[in-house]
Amino acid sequence: MFLKNFKKLFAEEDGQGSVELILIIGGIIVIVLVCMFVYKSYVNDLGKELESGELNSLNKSFEDISAKFE
């Protein structure tokens, strides 16, 4: 009886679509996490660049240019 139920378990394909979708979503999550780990230093440096004065000077340059067109 146990062997019959065991074979029946592997013969059913009702949840196949759901399992495939879960595996695809899981794969995408793994790829995103690996990419974030690889580009971790780049993302950290990007935050430091935004805090620097270069962004402020660029913004002031845009304001000066826009003032000339008013």
Side-chain angles (χ1 to χ4, degrees):
M1 183 168 164
F2 176 74
L3 187 58
K4 182 179 177 182
N5 289 336
F6 189 72
K7 288 181 181 179
K8 184 179 177 184
L9 178 67
F10 286 106
E12 293 180 6
E13 297 181 1
D14 292 340
Q16 181 179 357
S18 298
V19 171
E20 289 175 355
L21 185 62
I22 290 170
L23 289 174
I24 290 171
I25 292 172
I28 291 171
I29 290 172
V30 168
I31 290 170
V32 167
L33 289 175
V34 168
C35 289
M36 287 302 295
F37 179 75
V38 169
Y39 291 107
K40 180 179 169 183
S41 62
Y42 174 74
V43 172
N44 287 337
D45 290 341
L46 184 64
K48 292 176 185 175
E49 288 179 14
L50 290 177
E51 294 173 0
S52 70
E54 293 175 2
L55 185 62
N56 292 332
S57 67
L58 182 64
N59 192 21
K60 182 166 175 37
S61 298
F62 286 140
E63 288 174 359
D64 292 341
I65 291 171
S66 68
K68 291 180 181 180
F69 289 105
E70 290 179 351

Short mmCIF file of all heavy atoms in Angstrom, two decimals:
data_model
loop_
_atom_site.label_atom_id
_atom_site.label_comp_id
_atom_site.label_asym_id
_atom_site.label_seq_id
_atom_site.Cartn_x
_atom_site.Cartn_y
_atom_site.Cartn_z
N MET A 1 0.82 -1.19 0.00
CA MET A 1 0.00 0.00 0.00
C MET A 1 0.86 1.26 0.00
O MET A 1 0.58 2.22 -0.71
CB MET A 1 -0.93 -0.01 1.21
CG MET A 1 -1.85 1.16 1.24
SD MET A 1 -3.10 0.90 2.47
CE MET A 1 -3.69 2.52 2.62
N PHE A 2 1.93 1.25 0.80
CA PHE A 2 2.82 2.40 0.84
C PHE A 2 3.49 2.63 -0.51
O PHE A 2 3.61 3.77 -0.97
CB PHE A 2 3.88 2.20 1.94
CG PHE A 2 4.90 3.29 1.98
CD1 PHE A 2 4.56 4.54 2.48
CD2 PHE A 2 6.18 3.10 1.51
CE1 PHE A 2 5.49 5.55 2.52
CE2 PHE A 2 7.11 4.11 1.55
CZ PHE A 2 6.76 5.34 2.07
N LEU A 3 3.90 1.56 -1.15
CA LEU A 3 4.56 1.67 -2.45
C LEU A 3 3.61 2.22 -3.51
O LEU A 3 3.99 3.03 -4.35
CB LEU A 3 5.10 0.30 -2.88
CG LEU A 3 5.97 0.28 -4.14
CD1 LEU A 3 7.17 1.20 -3.98
CD2 LEU A 3 6.42 -1.13 -4.44
N LYS A 4 2.33 1.83 -3.43
CA LYS A 4 1.33 2.31 -4.38
C LYS A 4 1.12 3.83 -4.21
O LYS A 4 1.07 4.57 -5.19
CB LYS A 4 0.02 1.57 -4.16
CG LYS A 4 -1.08 1.95 -5.12
CD LYS A 4 -2.34 1.14 -4.84
CE LYS A 4 -3.46 1.57 -5.76
NZ LYS A 4 -4.69 0.84 -5.47
N ASN A 5 1.01 4.31 -2.99
CA ASN A 5 0.85 5.73 -2.72
C ASN A 5 2.11 6.52 -3.11
O ASN A 5 2.03 7.65 -3.57
CB ASN A 5 0.52 5.98 -1.25
CG ASN A 5 -0.88 5.53 -0.89
OD1 ASN A 5 -1.75 5.45 -1.75
ND2 ASN A 5 -1.08 5.22 0.38
N PHE A 6 3.28 5.90 -2.93
CA PHE A 6 4.53 6.54 -3.28
C PHE A 6 4.64 6.76 -4.78
O PHE A 6 5.04 7.82 -5.24
CB PHE A 6 5.71 5.69 -2.76
CG PHE A 6 7.04 6.35 -2.88
CD1 PHE A 6 7.38 7.41 -2.04
CD2 PHE A 6 7.97 5.93 -3.81
CE1 PHE A 6 8.61 8.02 -2.14
CE2 PHE A 6 9.19 6.54 -3.92
CZ PHE A 6 9.52 7.59 -3.08
N LYS A 7 4.25 5.76 -5.57
CA LYS A 7 4.25 5.88 -7.03
C LYS A 7 3.23 6.91 -7.49
O LYS A 7 3.47 7.66 -8.43
CB LYS A 7 3.97 4.53 -7.68
CG LYS A 7 5.11 3.54 -7.57
CD LYS A 7 4.76 2.24 -8.25
CE LYS A 7 5.88 1.24 -8.13
NZ LYS A 7 5.57 -0.05 -8.75
N LYS A 8 2.08 6.96 -6.83
CA LYS A 8 1.03 7.91 -7.18
C LYS A 8 1.51 9.34 -6.93
O LYS A 8 1.17 10.26 -7.69
CB LYS A 8 -0.23 7.61 -6.37
CG LYS A 8 -1.41 8.48 -6.74
CD LYS A 8 -2.62 8.12 -5.91
CE LYS A 8 -3.76 9.05 -6.23
NZ LYS A 8 -4.93 8.82 -5.38
N LEU A 9 2.31 9.54 -5.90
CA LEU A 9 2.81 10.86 -5.57
C LEU A 9 3.66 11.42 -6.71
O LEU A 9 3.55 12.59 -7.07
CB LEU A 9 3.64 10.80 -4.28
CG LEU A 9 4.29 12.10 -3.81
CD1 LEU A 9 3.21 13.09 -3.39
CD2 LEU A 9 5.24 11.83 -2.67
N PHE A 10 4.49 10.60 -7.33
CA PHE A 10 5.35 11.07 -8.40
C PHE A 10 4.65 11.07 -9.75
O PHE A 10 5.14 11.66 -10.71
CB PHE A 10 6.62 10.22 -8.48
CG PHE A 10 7.57 10.53 -7.36
CD1 PHE A 10 7.73 9.65 -6.30
CD2 PHE A 10 8.29 11.70 -7.36
CE1 PHE A 10 8.60 9.94 -5.27
CE2 PHE A 10 9.16 12.00 -6.33
CZ PHE A 10 9.31 11.12 -5.29
N ALA A 11 3.49 10.43 -9.86
CA ALA A 11 2.76 10.42 -11.12
C ALA A 11 1.90 11.65 -11.30
O ALA A 11 1.59 12.04 -12.42
CB ALA A 11 1.88 9.17 -11.20
N GLU A 12 1.51 12.30 -10.22
CA GLU A 12 0.65 13.48 -10.31
C GLU A 12 1.48 14.69 -10.74
O GLU A 12 2.62 14.86 -10.34
CB GLU A 12 0.00 13.76 -8.96
CG GLU A 12 -1.00 12.70 -8.56
CD GLU A 12 -1.64 12.99 -7.21
OE1 GLU A 12 -1.38 14.08 -6.66
OE2 GLU A 12 -2.38 12.13 -6.73
N GLU A 13 0.88 15.54 -11.56
CA GLU A 13 1.56 16.73 -12.07
C GLU A 13 0.73 17.99 -11.82
O GLU A 13 0.85 18.98 -12.54
CB GLU A 13 1.85 16.58 -13.56
CG GLU A 13 2.79 15.44 -13.88
CD GLU A 13 3.07 15.34 -15.37
OE1 GLU A 13 2.55 16.16 -16.13
OE2 GLU A 13 3.82 14.43 -15.74
N ASP A 14 -0.09 18.00 -10.79
CA ASP A 14 -0.98 19.13 -10.53
C ASP A 14 -0.20 20.39 -10.13
O ASP A 14 -0.55 21.48 -10.53
CB ASP A 14 -1.98 18.80 -9.42
CG ASP A 14 -2.99 17.75 -9.87
OD1 ASP A 14 -3.15 17.59 -11.09
OD2 ASP A 14 -3.60 17.11 -8.99
N GLY A 15 0.84 20.28 -9.38
CA GLY A 15 1.57 21.44 -8.88
C GLY A 15 2.82 21.77 -9.68
O GLY A 15 3.65 22.55 -9.24
N GLN A 16 2.96 21.18 -10.85
CA GLN A 16 4.18 21.36 -11.63
C GLN A 16 4.38 22.83 -12.03
O GLN A 16 5.49 23.36 -11.93
CB GLN A 16 4.15 20.49 -12.88
CG GLN A 16 5.40 20.61 -13.73
CD GLN A 16 5.34 19.71 -14.95
OE1 GLN A 16 4.40 18.97 -15.13
NE2 GLN A 16 6.36 19.81 -15.78
N GLY A 17 3.34 23.50 -12.46
CA GLY A 17 3.47 24.90 -12.87
C GLY A 17 3.88 25.79 -11.71
O GLY A 17 4.71 26.69 -11.87
N SER A 18 3.30 25.54 -10.55
CA SER A 18 3.64 26.35 -9.37
C SER A 18 5.10 26.14 -8.96
O SER A 18 5.80 27.10 -8.63
CB SER A 18 2.74 25.98 -8.20
OG SER A 18 1.40 26.25 -8.52
N VAL A 19 5.53 24.91 -9.00
CA VAL A 19 6.92 24.61 -8.62
C VAL A 19 7.89 25.25 -9.61
O VAL A 19 8.90 25.83 -9.21
CB VAL A 19 7.14 23.09 -8.54
CG1 VAL A 19 8.61 22.76 -8.37
CG2 VAL A 19 6.33 22.50 -7.40
N GLU A 20 7.57 25.20 -10.89
CA GLU A 20 8.44 25.83 -11.88
C GLU A 20 8.51 27.34 -11.67
O GLU A 20 9.58 27.94 -11.78
CB GLU A 20 7.94 25.52 -13.29
CG GLU A 20 8.15 24.08 -13.70
CD GLU A 20 7.54 23.75 -15.04
OE1 GLU A 20 6.87 24.63 -15.62
OE2 GLU A 20 7.73 22.63 -15.50
N LEU A 21 7.38 27.97 -11.36
CA LEU A 21 7.36 29.41 -11.11
C LEU A 21 8.18 29.75 -9.87
O LEU A 21 8.95 30.73 -9.88
CB LEU A 21 5.92 29.89 -10.94
CG LEU A 21 5.73 31.38 -10.79
CD1 LEU A 21 6.21 32.12 -12.03
CD2 LEU A 21 4.27 31.70 -10.54
N ILE A 22 8.07 28.97 -8.83
CA ILE A 22 8.84 29.20 -7.61
C ILE A 22 10.34 29.06 -7.91
O ILE A 22 11.15 29.86 -7.43
CB ILE A 22 8.40 28.25 -6.49
CG1 ILE A 22 7.00 28.64 -6.00
CG2 ILE A 22 9.39 28.23 -5.34
CD1 ILE A 22 6.37 27.65 -5.07
N LEU A 23 10.71 28.07 -8.71
CA LEU A 23 12.12 27.88 -9.06
C LEU A 23 12.66 29.04 -9.89
O LEU A 23 13.79 29.49 -9.70
CB LEU A 23 12.32 26.57 -9.80
CG LEU A 23 12.17 25.31 -8.95
CD1 LEU A 23 12.24 24.07 -9.83
CD2 LEU A 23 13.26 25.26 -7.90
N ILE A 24 11.86 29.56 -10.81
CA ILE A 24 12.29 30.70 -11.63
C ILE A 24 12.48 31.93 -10.76
O ILE A 24 13.49 32.63 -10.86
CB ILE A 24 11.27 30.96 -12.76
CG1 ILE A 24 11.35 29.84 -13.80
CG2 ILE A 24 11.52 32.32 -13.41
CD1 ILE A 24 10.26 29.90 -14.84
N ILE A 25 11.51 32.21 -9.88
CA ILE A 25 11.62 33.37 -9.00
C ILE A 25 12.82 33.22 -8.06
O ILE A 25 13.57 34.17 -7.83
CB ILE A 25 10.31 33.58 -8.21
CG1 ILE A 25 9.20 34.00 -9.18
CG2 ILE A 25 10.49 34.61 -7.11
CD1 ILE A 25 7.83 34.06 -8.56
N GLY A 26 13.02 32.02 -7.55
CA GLY A 26 14.19 31.77 -6.69
C GLY A 26 15.49 31.98 -7.43
O GLY A 26 16.45 32.53 -6.89
N GLY A 27 15.55 31.54 -8.69
CA GLY A 27 16.74 31.75 -9.50
C GLY A 27 17.02 33.22 -9.74
O GLY A 27 18.18 33.66 -9.68
N ILE A 28 15.97 33.99 -9.99
CA ILE A 28 16.15 35.43 -10.20
C ILE A 28 16.67 36.09 -8.92
O ILE A 28 17.55 36.95 -8.97
CB ILE A 28 14.83 36.07 -10.66
CG1 ILE A 28 14.49 35.60 -12.08
CG2 ILE A 28 14.89 37.59 -10.60
CD1 ILE A 28 13.11 35.99 -12.56
N ILE A 29 16.14 35.68 -7.78
CA ILE A 29 16.59 36.25 -6.51
C ILE A 29 18.06 35.93 -6.28
O ILE A 29 18.84 36.79 -5.85
CB ILE A 29 15.71 35.74 -5.35
CG1 ILE A 29 14.32 36.36 -5.44
CG2 ILE A 29 16.35 36.04 -3.99
CD1 ILE A 29 13.32 35.77 -4.47
N VAL A 30 18.48 34.71 -6.58
CA VAL A 30 19.88 34.33 -6.41
C VAL A 30 20.77 35.16 -7.32
O VAL A 30 21.83 35.65 -6.90
CB VAL A 30 20.07 32.82 -6.67
CG1 VAL A 30 21.53 32.45 -6.79
CG2 VAL A 30 19.41 32.01 -5.57
N ILE A 31 20.36 35.36 -8.57
CA ILE A 31 21.16 36.16 -9.51
C ILE A 31 21.29 37.59 -9.02
O ILE A 31 22.38 38.19 -9.07
CB ILE A 31 20.54 36.10 -10.92
CG1 ILE A 31 20.72 34.70 -11.50
CG2 ILE A 31 21.16 37.14 -11.83
CD1 ILE A 31 19.95 34.46 -12.78
N VAL A 32 20.20 38.17 -8.52
CA VAL A 32 20.25 39.55 -8.01
C VAL A 32 21.19 39.64 -6.80
O VAL A 32 21.98 40.58 -6.69
CB VAL A 32 18.83 40.05 -7.65
CG1 VAL A 32 18.88 41.32 -6.85
CG2 VAL A 32 18.01 40.23 -8.90
N LEU A 33 21.13 38.67 -5.90
CA LEU A 33 22.00 38.69 -4.73
C LEU A 33 23.47 38.56 -5.12
O LEU A 33 24.33 39.23 -4.55
CB LEU A 33 21.61 37.59 -3.75
CG LEU A 33 20.28 37.80 -3.02
CD1 LEU A 33 19.94 36.58 -2.17
CD2 LEU A 33 20.32 39.05 -2.17
N VAL A 34 23.77 37.71 -6.09
CA VAL A 34 25.15 37.55 -6.55
C VAL A 34 25.64 38.85 -7.18
O VAL A 34 26.76 39.30 -6.93
CB VAL A 34 25.27 36.36 -7.54
CG1 VAL A 34 26.61 36.37 -8.25
CG2 VAL A 34 25.07 35.05 -6.80
N CYS A 35 24.80 39.48 -8.00
CA CYS A 35 25.19 40.75 -8.62
C CYS A 35 25.42 41.83 -7.57
O CYS A 35 26.36 42.63 -7.68
CB CYS A 35 24.13 41.21 -9.62
SG CYS A 35 24.06 40.20 -11.11
N MET A 36 24.58 41.89 -6.56
CA MET A 36 24.76 42.88 -5.50
C MET A 36 26.05 42.62 -4.73
O MET A 36 26.75 43.56 -4.33
CB MET A 36 23.57 42.87 -4.54
CG MET A 36 22.32 43.49 -5.12
SD MET A 36 22.52 45.19 -5.64
CE MET A 36 22.85 45.98 -4.07
N PHE A 37 26.40 41.36 -4.53
CA PHE A 37 27.64 41.04 -3.83
C PHE A 37 28.85 41.46 -4.67
O PHE A 37 29.81 42.01 -4.16
CB PHE A 37 27.69 39.55 -3.50
CG PHE A 37 28.95 39.13 -2.81
CD1 PHE A 37 29.14 39.44 -1.48
CD2 PHE A 37 29.94 38.44 -3.49
CE1 PHE A 37 30.30 39.07 -0.83
CE2 PHE A 37 31.09 38.07 -2.85
CZ PHE A 37 31.28 38.38 -1.52
N VAL A 38 28.77 41.22 -5.98
CA VAL A 38 29.89 41.55 -6.86
C VAL A 38 30.06 43.06 -6.96
O VAL A 38 31.18 43.57 -6.94
CB VAL A 38 29.68 40.92 -8.26
CG1 VAL A 38 30.66 41.46 -9.27
CG2 VAL A 38 29.77 39.41 -8.19
N TYR A 39 28.96 43.80 -7.07
CA TYR A 39 29.03 45.24 -7.25
C TYR A 39 28.88 46.01 -5.93
O TYR A 39 28.56 47.20 -5.94
CB TYR A 39 27.96 45.70 -8.24
CG TYR A 39 28.26 45.23 -9.64
CD1 TYR A 39 27.52 44.22 -10.22
CD2 TYR A 39 29.28 45.81 -10.36
CE1 TYR A 39 27.79 43.78 -11.50
CE2 TYR A 39 29.57 45.38 -11.64
CZ TYR A 39 28.82 44.38 -12.21
OH TYR A 39 29.10 43.94 -13.47
N LYS A 40 29.13 45.34 -4.82
CA LYS A 40 28.97 45.97 -3.51
C LYS A 40 29.88 47.18 -3.35
O LYS A 40 29.45 48.24 -2.90
CB LYS A 40 29.27 44.93 -2.43
CG LYS A 40 29.15 45.41 -1.03
CD LYS A 40 29.46 44.26 -0.08
CE LYS A 40 29.63 44.74 1.32
NZ LYS A 40 29.98 43.63 2.22
N SER A 41 31.13 47.06 -3.74
CA SER A 41 32.06 48.17 -3.58
C SER A 41 31.68 49.33 -4.49
O SER A 41 31.82 50.50 -4.12
CB SER A 41 33.49 47.72 -3.87
OG SER A 41 33.60 47.29 -5.21
N TYR A 42 31.19 49.03 -5.68
CA TYR A 42 30.77 50.09 -6.60
C TYR A 42 29.60 50.87 -6.02
O TYR A 42 29.56 52.09 -6.09
CB TYR A 42 30.39 49.49 -7.95
CG TYR A 42 29.81 50.49 -8.91
CD1 TYR A 42 30.61 51.42 -9.55
CD2 TYR A 42 28.45 50.52 -9.18
CE1 TYR A 42 30.10 52.35 -10.42
CE2 TYR A 42 27.91 51.44 -10.05
CZ TYR A 42 28.74 52.35 -10.68
OH TYR A 42 28.20 53.27 -11.53
N VAL A 43 28.64 50.15 -5.44
CA VAL A 43 27.47 50.81 -4.86
C VAL A 43 27.87 51.66 -3.66
O VAL A 43 27.38 52.77 -3.48
CB VAL A 43 26.39 49.76 -4.47
CG1 VAL A 43 25.27 50.40 -3.69
CG2 VAL A 43 25.86 49.08 -5.72
N ASN A 44 28.80 51.18 -2.84
CA ASN A 44 29.27 51.96 -1.70
C ASN A 44 30.00 53.22 -2.15
O ASN A 44 29.82 54.29 -1.55
CB ASN A 44 30.19 51.12 -0.81
CG ASN A 44 29.43 50.09 -0.02
OD1 ASN A 44 28.23 50.23 0.21
ND2 ASN A 44 30.11 49.04 0.38
N ASP A 45 30.82 53.12 -3.19
CA ASP A 45 31.53 54.29 -3.70
C ASP A 45 30.58 55.29 -4.33
O ASP A 45 30.82 56.49 -4.29
CB ASP A 45 32.59 53.87 -4.73
CG ASP A 45 33.75 53.12 -4.09
OD1 ASP A 45 33.92 53.24 -2.85
OD2 ASP A 45 34.47 52.41 -4.82
N LEU A 46 29.51 54.81 -4.91
CA LEU A 46 28.53 55.70 -5.53
C LEU A 46 27.89 56.60 -4.47
O LEU A 46 27.67 57.78 -4.70
CB LEU A 46 27.46 54.89 -6.25
CG LEU A 46 26.41 55.66 -7.02
CD1 LEU A 46 27.06 56.41 -8.16
CD2 LEU A 46 25.35 54.71 -7.56
N GLY A 47 27.62 56.05 -3.30
CA GLY A 47 27.05 56.85 -2.21
C GLY A 47 28.01 57.93 -1.75
O GLY A 47 27.60 59.04 -1.45
N LYS A 48 29.30 57.63 -1.73
CA LYS A 48 30.29 58.63 -1.33
C LYS A 48 30.39 59.74 -2.35
O LYS A 48 30.60 60.89 -2.01
CB LYS A 48 31.65 57.96 -1.13
CG LYS A 48 31.70 57.04 0.06
CD LYS A 48 33.03 56.34 0.15
CE LYS A 48 33.02 55.32 1.28
NZ LYS A 48 34.26 54.55 1.32
N GLU A 49 30.26 59.40 -3.62
CA GLU A 49 30.33 60.41 -4.67
C GLU A 49 29.15 61.37 -4.60
O GLU A 49 29.28 62.55 -4.86
CB GLU A 49 30.36 59.75 -6.05
CG GLU A 49 31.67 59.07 -6.36
CD GLU A 49 31.66 58.41 -7.72
OE1 GLU A 49 30.75 58.69 -8.51
OE2 GLU A 49 32.57 57.61 -7.96
N LEU A 50 27.98 60.85 -4.25
CA LEU A 50 26.81 61.71 -4.16
C LEU A 50 26.91 62.69 -3.00
O LEU A 50 26.34 63.77 -3.04
CB LEU A 50 25.54 60.87 -4.02
CG LEU A 50 25.14 60.08 -5.26
CD1 LEU A 50 23.92 59.23 -4.96
CD2 LEU A 50 24.86 61.00 -6.42
N GLU A 51 27.64 62.33 -1.97
CA GLU A 51 27.79 63.21 -0.82
C GLU A 51 28.84 64.29 -1.08
O GLU A 51 28.92 65.27 -0.35
CB GLU A 51 28.19 62.39 0.41
CG GLU A 51 27.10 61.44 0.87
CD GLU A 51 27.58 60.52 1.97
OE1 GLU A 51 28.75 60.62 2.36
OE2 GLU A 51 26.77 59.69 2.42
N SER A 52 29.64 64.13 -2.11
CA SER A 52 30.73 65.08 -2.34
C SER A 52 30.21 66.40 -2.88
O SER A 52 29.05 66.54 -3.27
CB SER A 52 31.74 64.48 -3.31
OG SER A 52 31.17 64.40 -4.60
N GLY A 53 31.10 67.37 -2.95
CA GLY A 53 30.74 68.69 -3.42
C GLY A 53 30.58 68.77 -4.93
O GLY A 53 30.08 69.76 -5.45
N GLU A 54 31.00 67.73 -5.65
CA GLU A 54 30.87 67.74 -7.10
C GLU A 54 29.42 67.85 -7.54
O GLU A 54 29.10 68.55 -8.49
CB GLU A 54 31.49 66.49 -7.70
CG GLU A 54 33.00 66.41 -7.53
CD GLU A 54 33.57 65.10 -8.02
OE1 GLU A 54 32.79 64.26 -8.53
OE2 GLU A 54 34.77 64.91 -7.90
N LEU A 55 28.55 67.18 -6.84
CA LEU A 55 27.13 67.22 -7.18
C LEU A 55 26.57 68.62 -6.95
O LEU A 55 25.81 69.14 -7.76
CB LEU A 55 26.36 66.19 -6.36
CG LEU A 55 24.88 66.04 -6.68
CD1 LEU A 55 24.71 65.57 -8.12
CD2 LEU A 55 24.23 65.07 -5.73
N ASN A 56 27.00 69.26 -5.88
CA ASN A 56 26.53 70.61 -5.60
C ASN A 56 27.03 71.61 -6.65
O ASN A 56 26.30 72.49 -7.08
CB ASN A 56 26.98 71.06 -4.20
CG ASN A 56 26.29 70.28 -3.11
OD1 ASN A 56 25.17 69.82 -3.30
ND2 ASN A 56 26.95 70.12 -1.98
N SER A 57 28.29 71.46 -7.07
CA SER A 57 28.81 72.37 -8.08
C SER A 57 28.13 72.14 -9.43
O SER A 57 27.87 73.09 -10.17
CB SER A 57 30.32 72.24 -8.21
OG SER A 57 30.66 70.98 -8.74
N LEU A 58 27.81 70.90 -9.75
CA LEU A 58 27.09 70.61 -10.99
C LEU A 58 25.69 71.21 -10.96
O LEU A 58 25.25 71.80 -11.95
CB LEU A 58 27.01 69.09 -11.21
CG LEU A 58 26.33 68.63 -12.48
CD1 LEU A 58 27.12 69.08 -13.70
CD2 LEU A 58 26.17 67.12 -12.47
N ASN A 59 25.03 71.10 -9.83
CA ASN A 59 23.70 71.68 -9.68
C ASN A 59 23.75 73.20 -9.82
O ASN A 59 22.90 73.81 -10.46
CB ASN A 59 23.11 71.28 -8.32
CG ASN A 59 21.64 71.61 -8.23
OD1 ASN A 59 20.96 71.77 -9.23
ND2 ASN A 59 21.16 71.70 -7.00
N LYS A 60 24.78 73.84 -9.25
CA LYS A 60 24.93 75.30 -9.37
C LYS A 60 25.18 75.69 -10.82
O LYS A 60 24.66 76.71 -11.30
CB LYS A 60 26.07 75.78 -8.48
CG LYS A 60 26.23 77.28 -8.51
CD LYS A 60 27.12 77.74 -7.37
CE LYS A 60 27.43 79.20 -7.41
NZ LYS A 60 26.41 80.09 -7.85
N SER A 61 25.95 74.88 -11.54
CA SER A 61 26.20 75.17 -12.96
C SER A 61 24.90 75.12 -13.76
O SER A 61 24.67 75.98 -14.62
CB SER A 61 27.19 74.16 -13.54
OG SER A 61 28.42 74.25 -12.88
N PHE A 62 24.07 74.14 -13.48
CA PHE A 62 22.77 74.06 -14.17
C PHE A 62 21.89 75.25 -13.84
O PHE A 62 21.17 75.78 -14.70
CB PHE A 62 22.04 72.76 -13.84
CG PHE A 62 22.62 71.55 -14.51
CD1 PHE A 62 22.73 70.35 -13.83
CD2 PHE A 62 23.04 71.60 -15.82
CE1 PHE A 62 23.24 69.23 -14.45
CE2 PHE A 62 23.56 70.48 -16.45
CZ PHE A 62 23.67 69.30 -15.75
N GLU A 63 21.93 75.70 -12.61
CA GLU A 63 21.14 76.87 -12.21
C GLU A 63 21.63 78.12 -12.93
O GLU A 63 20.82 78.96 -13.35
CB GLU A 63 21.18 77.05 -10.70
CG GLU A 63 20.40 76.02 -9.92
CD GLU A 63 20.58 76.15 -8.42
OE1 GLU A 63 21.34 77.03 -7.98
OE2 GLU A 63 19.95 75.35 -7.70
N ASP A 64 22.95 78.26 -13.07
CA ASP A 64 23.51 79.41 -13.79
C ASP A 64 23.09 79.40 -15.25
O ASP A 64 22.77 80.45 -15.82
CB ASP A 64 25.03 79.42 -13.67
CG ASP A 64 25.51 79.69 -12.25
OD1 ASP A 64 24.71 80.22 -11.44
OD2 ASP A 64 26.68 79.37 -11.96
N ILE A 65 23.12 78.24 -15.86
CA ILE A 65 22.73 78.12 -17.27
C ILE A 65 21.25 78.44 -17.44
O ILE A 65 20.87 79.17 -18.35
CB ILE A 65 23.07 76.72 -17.79
CG1 ILE A 65 24.58 76.54 -17.88
CG2 ILE A 65 22.43 76.49 -19.16
CD1 ILE A 65 25.01 75.11 -18.19
N SER A 66 20.42 77.94 -16.54
CA SER A 66 18.99 78.19 -16.66
C SER A 66 18.65 79.66 -16.41
O SER A 66 17.72 80.21 -16.98
CB SER A 66 18.19 77.30 -15.71
OG SER A 66 18.44 77.66 -14.37
N ALA A 67 19.47 80.34 -15.58
CA ALA A 67 19.24 81.76 -15.32
C ALA A 67 19.50 82.60 -16.57
O ALA A 67 18.88 83.65 -16.78
CB ALA A 67 20.12 82.24 -14.17
N LYS A 68 20.40 82.15 -17.43
CA LYS A 68 20.71 82.89 -18.65
C LYS A 68 19.57 82.81 -19.66
O LYS A 68 19.46 83.67 -20.53
CB LYS A 68 21.99 82.36 -19.28
CG LYS A 68 23.21 82.68 -18.45
CD LYS A 68 24.48 82.13 -19.08
CE LYS A 68 25.67 82.47 -18.21
NZ LYS A 68 26.93 81.98 -18.77
N PHE A 69 18.74 81.79 -19.57
CA PHE A 69 17.63 81.61 -20.52
C PHE A 69 16.32 82.22 -20.04
O PHE A 69 15.33 82.16 -20.74
CB PHE A 69 17.42 80.13 -20.83
CG PHE A 69 18.52 79.54 -21.67
CD1 PHE A 69 19.47 78.71 -21.11
CD2 PHE A 69 18.59 79.84 -23.02
CE1 PHE A 69 20.48 78.16 -21.88
CE2 PHE A 69 19.60 79.31 -23.79
CZ PHE A 69 20.54 78.47 -23.23
N GLU A 70 16.31 82.79 -18.87
CA GLU A 70 15.07 83.38 -18.34
C GLU A 70 14.82 84.76 -18.88
O GLU A 70 15.56 85.48 -19.36
CB GLU A 70 15.10 83.43 -16.82
CG GLU A 70 14.99 82.06 -16.20
CD GLU A 70 15.05 82.11 -14.69
OE1 GLU A 70 15.34 83.18 -14.11
OE2 GLU A 70 14.80 81.07 -14.10
#
